[in-house]
Amino acid sequence: MFLDVLIRRNPGFVEAAMALHQQGAIPPNSYVLDLDAVERNARHLSTEANKLGLKTFAMTKQVGRHSGFCQAAMRGGIKKSVAVDLDCAVACHRAGMKTGHLGHLVQVPGGNANFAASQLQPDFWTVFSDDKMREAANAAHKAGRVQNLLARIQTEGDTFYRGHEGGFAAEDIRAIADKFDAQDGAGFAGITTFPALLFDQETRKVIPTPNLQTLARAREALDAAGRSEIEVNAPGTNSSVVLSALAEAGATQCEPGNALHGTTPLHAVEDLPEDPAVLYLSEVSHHHGGNAFCFGGGLYVDPVFPKYDVHALIASEPTSSRKALASVEIPDYSAIDYYGMIDATGPVQPKTGDTVVFGFRGQAFVTRANIVGVSGVASGTPAVTTIENIFGEVTGWPEKALS
């Protein structure tokens, strides 16, 4: 779905990645990032958000918390991160991007609360329950701080992905705010949910979920209680074209992730201001039974669309020609993705060692892929910056991996 956009809008990046692979600079099983494009995207997003008075925090999990990605986003004006979990916060902090928002979607483990409060010192910390509120408050008090807490709220009819459920009853928000403020080390800062926006398959548009209205009702209740200056965090499918709708709905914070590399669902069906800036690169390993097998490890295609025929570019020389496209079978999620299987019975005849380029919406942090930064695409002088693992750690793969 995203390969077409990648070929049309950033062919120079595709060809640069292929050339660098053929030179031995990029290993197979790599998410490759066009850091120049990331910086441009971040600048556009931050500019639009600033116009609307929205705080902007970058989500980095989809591209493995790569340090160069963090720094490109910062150069583009997005100075802080939203950490999906503690690993995200640590990786971004190490890269120089401080923590704007912690604890949402994944709560901070109890044993790490003191570390988070004293070392990470997030601007905002989301909690789902009284227990987690007390943990965060006690840790902040111990660190000599008052922590701004966001209450994750929910009510009947709200939308959640299975396994993401949790939060305070939205109807009780005024009492919840008072309870937060009564705790040493805590201050009630506002409310959040996820997802506030979702891509709709039928209309092919981004539309509000019921959760956004839940936030609006809770904000009205808080305003009536004299709490007019609160934060409203409304993540989900945040790209520059939806920011005005968020602001109109009362949001004060946005958290672009896939928009920073041009892979929200809407980017696949409309040409948005953000350029595609990520691809997945592999290499042909061997042949069997009419298929050419390419190395896997990062073949997790985020299922935001119904299953479709996945294609890849396969060539021994840099190309963005659609004549080099072939169909690829991706292993089912129940299997380990050691290889992808390329149809070798058609006009494209893959050879061992050929470069394979995919364009899909990934979630690198749940894979065992390499994350590779590339700079200089825009100037015609592409070069690899760093090769990192999914925790944002430079690996020096493979030559320095054993040193």
Side-chain angles (χ1 to χ4, degrees):
M1 295 290 286
F2 294 93
L3 185 57
D4 176 68
V5 182
L6 191 62
I7 290 171
R8 283 194 299 107
R9 295 188 56 181
N10 204 350
F13 171 46
V14 174
E15 295 175 14
M18 297 181 86
L20 289 166
H21 168 252
Q22 288 295 322
Q23 295 163 18
I26 297 178
N29 183 30
S30 291
Y31 285 91
V32 187
L33 298 166
D34 180 347
L35 298 179
D36 300 344
V38 171
E39 181 178 342
R40 293 195 304 271
N41 293 343
R43 184 170 293 108
H44 179 76
L45 282 156
S46 63
T47 298
E48 292 301 307
N50 289 340
K51 289 177 184 176
L52 297 164
L54 295 170
K55 297 180 179 69
T56 310
F57 304 134
M59 177 65 81
T60 68
K61 67 184 176 77
Q62 293 96 342
V63 290
R65 305 109 175 206
H66 188 276
S67 65
F69 177 85
C70 295
Q71 290 153 12
M74 292 174 70
R75 290 194 299 272
I78 302 178
K79 303 299 184 182
K80 296 187 178 182
S81 74
V82 49
V84 73
D85 54 23
L86 198 65
D87 291 305
C88 264
V90 169
C92 293
H93 188 93
R94 187 171 54 233
M97 179 177 266
K98 302 303 183 184
T99 307
H101 184 193
L102 180 65
H104 195 208
L105 294 165
V106 180
Q107 295 282 273
V108 177
N112 300 124
N114 289 335
F115 169 80
S118 63
Q119 301 300 311
L120 298 176
Q121 300 186 11
D123 290 353
F124 301 97
W125 185 330
T126 285
V127 292
F128 289 13
S129 65
D130 285 344
D131 288 342
K132 285 299 179 184
M133 180 272 289
R134 284 190 288 268
E135 282 181 1
N138 290 340
H141 184 62
K142 183 177 178 181
R145 301 176 54 239
V146 175
Q147 176 64 55
N148 284 326
L149 296 180
L150 299 179
R152 213 267 198 123
I153 60 173
Q154 50 79 36
T155 194
E156 186 176 356
D158 279 357
T159 297
F160 292 101
Y161 293 109
R162 183 61 177 153
H164 289 201
E165 300 91 344
F168 295 92
E171 297 76 13
D172 300 333
I173 190 58
R174 287 187 288 189
I176 292 162
D178 291 341
K179 186 186 297 184
F180 280 27
D181 281 343
Q183 189 81 23
D184 288 341
F188 176 78
I191 51 179
T192 186
T193 186
F194 180 82
L197 301 173
L198 275 180
F199 179 78
D200 181 67
Q201 298 286 353
E202 292 186 6
T203 63
R204 297 170 81 95
K205 300 292 183 183
V206 174
I207 61 174
T209 67
N211 309 31
L212 193 59
Q213 188 58 39
T214 299
L215 288 179
R217 288 194 299 268
R219 179 169 186 162
E220 290 171 2
L222 290 164
D223 191 58
R227 293 180 179 269
S228 57
E229 299 296 323
I230 67 160
E231 297 288 334
V232 179
N233 176 270
T237 321
N238 287 179
S239 62
S240 59
V241 298
V242 306
L243 296 185
S244 60
L246 285 180
E248 289 170 10
T252 64
Q253 299 178 7
C254 62
E255 296 181 341
N258 287 96
L260 288 166
H261 33 90
T263 57
T264 76
L266 197 59
H267 283 87
V269 299
E270 293 184 19
D271 280 350
L272 304 186
E274 299 89 17
D275 289 320
V278 63
L279 58 81
Y280 179 73
L281 184 143
S282 185
E283 176 184 308
V284 175
S285 166
H286 62 281
H287 292 73
H288 177 78
N291 289 317
F293 286 63
C294 64
F295 297 105
L299 292 170
Y300 176 86
V301 180
D302 194 359
V304 292
F305 293 107
K307 286 190 176 181
Y308 59 91
D309 187 16
V310 176
H311 284 76
L313 284 170
I314 301 99
S316 56
E317 299 287 340
T319 183
S320 53
S321 170
R322 284 176 171 77
K323 292 181 180 179
L325 288 171
S327 181
V328 185
E329 179 185 347
I330 301 297
D332 186 78
Y333 295 140
S334 63
I336 298 172
D337 65 328
Y338 291 119
Y339 296 100
M341 289 74 74
I342 305 165
D343 179 11
T345 63
V348 176
Q349 294 292 301
K351 303 184 296 298
T352 297
D354 277 1
T355 306
V356 183
V357 168
F358 294 84
F360 55 75
R361 175 183 162 103
Q363 293 284 351
F365 82 118
V366 299
T367 74
R368 61 187 191 281
N370 307 293
I371 320 295
V372 181
V374 173
S375 66
V377 171
S379 63
T381 55
V384 170
T385 58
T386 58
I387 299 175
E388 303 182 11
N389 61 24
I390 61 170
F391 301 104
E393 298 166 327
V394 176
T395 62
W397 184 261
E399 287 85 356
K400 298 179 182 179
L402 297 179
S403 63

